[in-house]
Amino acid sequence: MRLEPLRREHIRRCVEIERILFPGDSPWPAGAFHAELDAGGYYLVALTDDEQVAGYAGLAIAGVPGDWETSVHTIGVDPAYQGRGIGTALLRAVLDRADELRAPVFLEVRTDNDNAIRLYERHGFTRVGVRRRYYQPSGADAYTMKRQARAAQEVAG
Ligand SMILES: CC(C)(COP(=O)(O)OP(=O)(O)OC[C@H]1O[C@@H](n2cnc3c(N)ncnc32)[C@H](O)[C@@H]1OP(=O)(O)O)[C@@H](O)C(=O)NCCC(=O)NCCS
């Protein structure tokens, strides 16, 4: 298993995995992945030894040099490959990019997604708000979570 930049030819498989992972929560169509790449997002795939996409993660980057703000817009691992450390590796890699930019990281996560919430909390995220009925058509609520910029974390010890 290895991480690589997400390329356009990976998108078809990412869309298939999205549909499995987020059936009631508007899984991303191909156009959403293309738009994120067009916008300069930092997107990675986890590839198996035979070049299959097992997971993906993406960090959207906004702001200006010296004042960046980032968001984990998506992270998903094919259910056949979950629980093997791929999600952790993808998250760490996008957080490394945010740290290079000295940027805070935001994300939304379903309030009932205990696995993902635990994963984020272990990587320095805390809950900063709730967005009611954020996911559609399911109507599920989301927590907004934030991880401080690395420089701020260092100051905080
Ligand atoms: C969240 C997700 C990306 C994690 O990916 P992963 O490859 O399974 O993650 P890892 O193998 O690195 O495991 C991360 C933690 O989750 C736990 N975990 C993973 N799958 C699990 C499962 N099915 N049941 C219980 N715990 C599980 C692992 O034990 C691990 O905890 P640990 O570090 O204490 O051992 C993946 O489960 C996923 O795609 N979920 C559906 C999509 C989703 O919810 N994305 C996030 C939306 S905000």
Side-chain angles (χ1 to χ4, degrees):
M1 193 72 59
R2 66 183 198 281
L3 303 188
E4 275 195 5
L6 188 155
R7 297 194 303 274
R8 308 262 173 186
E9 64 259 36
H10 297 135
I11 289 176
R12 197 171 59 87
R13 182 61 189 143
C14 293
V15 168
E16 289 174 1
I17 298 172
E18 278 275 311
R19 289 195 185 127
I20 297 168
L21 298 179
F22 305 110
D25 294 330
S26 303
W28 277 14
F33 283 95
H34 285 290
E36 293 281 316
L37 293 183
D38 291 343
Y42 181 69
Y43 274 69
L44 298 173
V45 284
L47 295 178
T48 62
D49 293 343
D50 56 351
E51 304 291 317
Q52 301 303 306
V53 174
Y56 51 88
L59 188 75
I61 300 169
V64 293
D67 190 18
W68 298 111
E69 185 178 302
T70 64
S71 308
V72 178
H73 271 187
T74 188
I75 179 166
V77 174
D78 181 337
Y81 292 97
Q82 288 181 10
R84 303 186 193 181
I86 297 171
T88 300
L90 284 163
L91 181 64
R92 285 202 178 136
V94 297
L95 294 179
D96 284 348
R97 179 71 188 122
D99 287 347
E100 284 168 14
L101 297 170
R102 297 284 194 269
V105 189
F106 293 87
L107 59 79
E108 269 79 33
V109 57
R110 272 180 70 132
T111 55
D112 59 1
N113 193 345
D114 295 333
N115 283 343
I117 291 168
R118 266 200 309 275
L119 176 67
Y120 299 141
E121 286 177 339
R122 269 200 307 276
H123 288 84
F125 286 88
T126 56
R127 297 174 206 181
V128 293
V130 180
R131 294 182 182 229
R132 298 286 173 209
R133 304 187 59 76
Y134 179 80
Y135 294 100
Q136 297 297 329
S138 69
D141 297 340
Y143 290 126
T144 297
M145 301 186 79
K146 180 181 181 185
R147 178 179 181 267
Q148 300 286 348
R150 191 174 79 171
Q153 285 184 330
E154 285 167 355
V155 171

